[in-house]
């Protein structure tokens, strides 16, 4: 576990260098080119930033309050509103593609242009994709049954732990001595198994943990990550290596922060 924490921290420090080192090669497959004339041409061909009218963005919409399916079946949430506000600044449209979290990174540059899904910037992911500047600081929490005596990282040893496939929480669970790790396609499934008594704990990002605990009040609780020595993680928007979108996204993020949009969305989606 120490090793990944160190990697996360190294990445945090590396972020400052990203603009300097991330732009040397243009992406071979920059995006789905949907220009005004190209109508339904959703071919994943290389295109200049200026030609692109629609960005296809992969997400796993079972991660409230960042992304979830609204009553109308459409993708909604903090990140959806944030990226759409940024897209307005960039003069592009966003097309959300709901998919498994574990499939997002591999799809970037072919099936999707970007990934935005509460995705922590990690050293491992940086080997295959670039990230925007971070837009949110998170930390892993531990969900347990109400009345559980689990309270520290030592208490997680030899327990049955659940998490979502391909997440940092899943990675941390695998590092815990003697733990039996169950991996789920979605966090919703993991939390359901916790509620059903099939898991001792779920390792999951803070804000979704708080939402899911609220939905299952009296049955499960969300314990703060510092009790388990989890450290801060930063969420970024993932894109192909060398993508020209880095600069545009970072500028748009700065704009929505400067004009108050970002703070308004934080106030809207986060209670604490
Ligand atoms: N922050 C964690 C990670 O990057 C979990 C993200 C899960 N996101 C989701 N939409 N299910 O691995």
């Amino acid at each position: 576990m120490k090793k990944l924490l160190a990697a996360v921290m190294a990445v945090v420090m590396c972020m400052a260098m990203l603009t300097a080192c991330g732009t040397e090669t243009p992406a071979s497959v920059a995006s789905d080119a949907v220009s005004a004339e190209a109508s339904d041409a959703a071919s994943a061909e290389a295109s200049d930033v200026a030609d692109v009218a629609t960005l296809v963005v992969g997400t796993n919409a079972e991660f409230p309050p960042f992304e979830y399916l609204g009553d109308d079946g459409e993708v909604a949430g903090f990140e959806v509103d944030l990226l759409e506000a940024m897209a307005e600044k960039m003069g592009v449209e966003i097309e959300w593609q709901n998919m498994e979290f574990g499939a997002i990174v591999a799809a970037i540059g072919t099936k999707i242009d970007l990934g935005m899904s509460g995705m922590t910037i990690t050293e491992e992911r940086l080997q295959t994709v670039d990230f925007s500047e971070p837009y949110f600081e998170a930390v892993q929490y531990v969900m347990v049954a109400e009345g559980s005596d689990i309270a520290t990282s030592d208490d997680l040893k030899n327990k049955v732990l659940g998490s979502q496939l391909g997440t940092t929480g899943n990675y941390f669970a695998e590092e815990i001595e003697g733990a039996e790790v169950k991996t789920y396609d979605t966090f919703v499934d993991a939390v359901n198994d916790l509620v059903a008594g099939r898991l001792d704990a779920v390792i999951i990002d803070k804000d979704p943990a708080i939402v899911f605990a609220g939905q299952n009040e009296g049955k499960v609780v969300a314990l703060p990550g510092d009790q388990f020595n989890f450290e801060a993680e930063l969420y970024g928007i993932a894109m192909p290596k060398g993508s020209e979108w880095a600069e545009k996204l970072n500028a748009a993020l700065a704009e929505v922060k400067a004009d108050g949009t970002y703070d308004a969305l934080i106030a809207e989606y986060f209670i604490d």
Side-chain angles (χ1 to χ4, degrees):
M1 165 149 40
K2 282 268 155 51
K3 218 164 139 200
L4 183 79
L5 290 177
V8 169
M9 290 321 289
V11 162
V12 170
M13 292 172 69
C14 183
M15 285 311 294
M17 294 156 56
L18 192 64
T19 40
C21 63
T23 52
E24 40 183 48
T25 21
S28 54
V29 182
S31 67
D32 286 351
V34 184
S35 67
E37 306 89 52
S39 65
D40 62 351
S43 59
E45 276 171 13
S47 67
D48 292 325
V49 165
D51 294 339
V52 176
T54 301
L55 286 173
V56 181
V57 183
T59 196
N60 175 242
E62 304 198 58
F63 198 63
F66 296 97
E67 53 265 334
Y68 47 88
L69 293 181
D71 295 335
D72 56 1
E74 295 290 317
V75 174
F78 171 75
E79 288 178 345
V80 176
D81 287 355
L82 176 62
L83 188 59
E84 280 175 6
M86 289 165 62
E88 219 173 290
K89 307 278 186 199
M90 298 190 290
V92 298
E93 299 281 321
I94 300 296
E95 184 187 316
W96 293 95
Q97 192 153 313
N98 194 13
M99 57 199 294
E100 276 179 21
F101 182 80
I104 295 175
V105 168
I108 290 171
T110 53
K111 291 198 191 79
I112 55 177
D113 297 309
L114 307 174
M116 189 176 195
S117 197
M119 193 182 289
T120 303
I121 301 166
T122 65
E123 202 168 77
E124 198 198 349
R125 290 171 183 156
L126 276 171
Q127 286 173 9
T128 49
V129 292
D130 280 349
F131 282 93
S132 68
E133 295 288 340
Y135 57 83
F136 198 87
E137 185 181 306
V139 67
Q140 296 302 304
Y141 263 37
V142 177
M143 293 183 71
V144 296
E146 177 99 56
S148 161
D149 51 15
I150 292 174
T152 69
S153 52
D154 267 354
D155 300 333
L156 293 175
K157 288 179 184 164
N158 306 310
K159 293 289 192 318
V160 185
L161 307 177
S163 204
Q164 183 181 23
L165 179 67
T167 61
T168 47
N170 192 24
Y171 189 98
F172 287 130
E174 298 281 3
E175 298 286 292
I176 293 166
E177 204 183 298
E180 181 192 333
V181 180
K182 293 193 179 173
T183 301
Y184 298 83
D185 284 343
T186 72
F187 272 125
V188 176
D189 294 338
V191 171
N192 285 342
D193 258 12
L194 178 67
V195 170
R198 287 190 281 266
L199 294 173
D200 295 314
V202 171
I203 304 182
I204 171 175
D205 301 51
K206 172 185 175 181
D207 297 286
I210 291 170
V211 172
F212 290 137
Q215 290 171 356
N216 295 284
E217 238 185 289
K219 295 177 196 150
V220 295
V221 292
L223 305 174
D226 53 12
Q227 285 178 223
F228 301 87
N229 305 320
F230 291 133
E231 290 177 21
E233 299 181 21
L234 297 173
Y235 293 168
I237 303 169
M239 66 195 95
K241 277 240 158 277
S243 171
E244 297 166 63
W245 287 103
E247 212 175 298
K248 295 242 168 202
L249 288 163
N250 291 339
L253 179 60
E255 272 187 72
V256 298
K257 281 192 170 174
D259 73 6
T261 306
Y262 181 93
D263 285 344
L265 291 176
I266 291 284
E268 180 181 344
Y269 284 101
F270 300 92
I271 3 153
D272 53 341

